[in-house]
């Protein structure tokens, strides 16, 4: 069983072949993929309008207790990168989408190729505790949330994202930032890994994956146990691919001075 999450072995966070049909529906847009890189994520989120003076992204190096104890609490959200292997896909039919939670869980479909990094961040930030969702007036996060609050249909949110030139430019700038540890490559590169968010909404942990029809509930959680509960879900993904090392975990945690 693989217990550690290797950050440097896989840094790209795209959806590639899984978004081919969605791209056709969404006008065929395709972005460069983001890296699983806390410094890059923090800079990107700050430019979107998130206050990284309070909370910031940090690496979680393992699902074991010693690594979780290194992360400041309470964690506001978790993002996971995992390989889209046949073993992972075979379990997707068992997912129970919480369609009745559309008014409480902010959820958007992914219809842009290689956009799962941005989609995952939006799921994390828009479902973070209310105290962290005071985005500055005029910021991208504030304006998009105002036009696409939780009750708006996930596909309609996706359509608005596709028409939003500002986010396309911000995403592109992040993929070409000096904070990147790798070259962003070509738009046609096939990178078969995927980025999802794990969030706490009203005491329930949800997996938010833009490839799916809605959020997937994973049981009860609390602000102080969200990281541990998220890692239990990550372990399930790891157990499906015991020979895989292409997993990373990032936590949105209180900033340490």
């Amino acid at each position: 069983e693989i217990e550690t999450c290797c950050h440097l072995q896989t840094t790209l966070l795209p959806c590639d072949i899984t978004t081919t049909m969605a791209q056709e529906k969404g006008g065929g847009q395709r972005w460069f993929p983001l890296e699983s890189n806390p410094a890059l994520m923090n800079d990107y989120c700050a430019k979107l309008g998130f206050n990284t003076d309070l909370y910031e992204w940090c690496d979680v190096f393992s699902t074991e207790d010693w690594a979780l104890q290194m992360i400041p609490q309470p964690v506001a959200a978790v993002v996971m990168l995992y390989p889209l292997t046949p073993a992972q896909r075979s379990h997707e039919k068992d997912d129970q989408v919480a369609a009745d939670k559309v008014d409480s869980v902010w959820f958007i479909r992914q219809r842009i190729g290689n956009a799962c990094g941005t989609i995952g961040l939006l799921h994390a930030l828009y479902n973070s505790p209310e105290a962290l969702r005071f985005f500055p007036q005029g910021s991208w996060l504030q304006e998009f949330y105002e036009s696409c609050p939780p009750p708006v249909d996930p596909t309609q949110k996706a359509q608005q994202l596709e028409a939003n030139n500002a986010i396309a430019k911000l995403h592109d700038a992040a993929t070409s930032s000096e904070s990147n540890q790798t070259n962003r490559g070509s738009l046609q590169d096939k990178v078969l890994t995927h980025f999802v968010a794990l969030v706490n909404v009203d005491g329930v942990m949800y997996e938010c994956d833009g490839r799916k029809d809605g959020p997937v509930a994973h049981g009860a959680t609390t602000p102080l146990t969200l990281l541990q509960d998220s890692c239990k879900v990550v372990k399930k993904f790891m157990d499906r691919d015991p020979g895989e090392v292409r997993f990373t975990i990032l936590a949105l945690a209180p900033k340490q001075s």
Side-chain angles (χ1 to χ4, degrees):
E1 178 179 346
I2 301 173
E3 288 292 331
T4 57
C5 294
C6 302
H7 169 62
L8 295 179
Q9 290 197 9
T10 297
T11 56
L12 296 176
L13 299 180
C15 289
D16 189 73
I17 59 173
T18 60
T19 56
T20 301
M21 292 181 64
Q23 281 177 248
E24 294 174 357
K25 296 177 181 178
Q29 288 191 55
R30 190 177 180 85
W31 292 354
F32 286 101
L34 289 176
E35 283 188 353
S36 177
N37 176 334
L40 176 69
M41 296 288 193
N42 288 324
D43 182 64
Y44 184 25
C45 288
K47 289 177 179 176
L48 292 175
F50 182 76
N51 187 355
T52 53
D53 289 336
L54 299 177
Y55 269 63
E56 63 180 358
W57 293 103
C58 60
D59 278 313
V60 182
F61 295 110
S62 171
T63 57
E64 296 179 337
D65 288 343
W66 65 265
L68 306 190
Q69 291 168 3
M70 296 170 61
I71 308 301
Q73 293 289 339
V75 164
V78 173
V79 296
M80 171 183 67
L81 172 72
Y82 72 98
L84 282 171
T85 62
Q88 299 294 348
R89 293 170 185 277
S90 68
H91 286 268
E92 292 177 358
K93 64 181 183 299
D94 300 325
D95 290 334
Q96 298 292 321
V97 172
D100 60 328
K101 296 301 181 182
V102 66
D103 289 338
S104 56
V105 181
W106 194 93
F107 186 83
I108 185 172
R109 292 297 306 273
Q110 180 185 341
R111 309 203 321 169
I112 300 172
N114 287 351
C116 63
T118 288
I119 297 294
L121 289 177
L122 296 184
H123 280 141
L125 299 181
Y126 284 151
N127 288 302
S128 64
E130 186 175 359
L132 299 181
R133 287 188 272 118
F134 285 98
F135 310 123
Q137 191 70 24
S139 67
W140 190 90
L141 285 172
Q142 182 271 327
E143 292 183 347
F144 193 73
Y145 190 87
E146 189 172 277
S147 64
C148 291
V152 172
D153 180 79
T155 298
Q156 292 180 11
K157 290 190 185 81
Q159 291 169 344
Q160 291 207 39
L161 191 75
E162 291 154 18
N164 193 298
N165 291 328
I167 190 62
K169 291 178 180 178
L170 287 163
H171 177 105
D172 190 70
T175 65
S176 59
S177 166
E178 292 182 356
S179 297
N180 285 284
Q181 297 174 349
T182 61
N183 186 292
R184 67 181 186 174
S186 165
L187 282 174
Q188 303 309 314
D189 288 345
K190 288 188 178 296
V191 189
L192 306 180
T193 48
H194 187 56
F195 187 28
V196 300
L198 296 162
V199 299
N200 172 18
V201 179
D202 298 333
V204 177
M205 183 172 64
Y206 293 97
E207 170 195 339
C208 293
D209 180 345
R211 296 168 52 244
K212 299 176 181 179
D213 292 332
V216 177
H218 285 281
T221 192
T222 70
L224 291 177
T225 63
L226 176 61
L227 179 59
Q228 289 89 340
D229 294 334
S230 295
C231 284
K232 292 176 184 177
V233 174
V234 174
K235 282 183 177 181
K236 291 181 180 178
F237 279 76
M238 288 180 166
D239 289 345
R240 298 168 189 165
D241 273 316
E244 271 285 359
V245 296
R246 293 178 294 170
F247 291 89
T248 70
I249 309 171
L250 297 176
L252 185 60
K255 187 169 185 175
Q256 293 182 299
S257 57

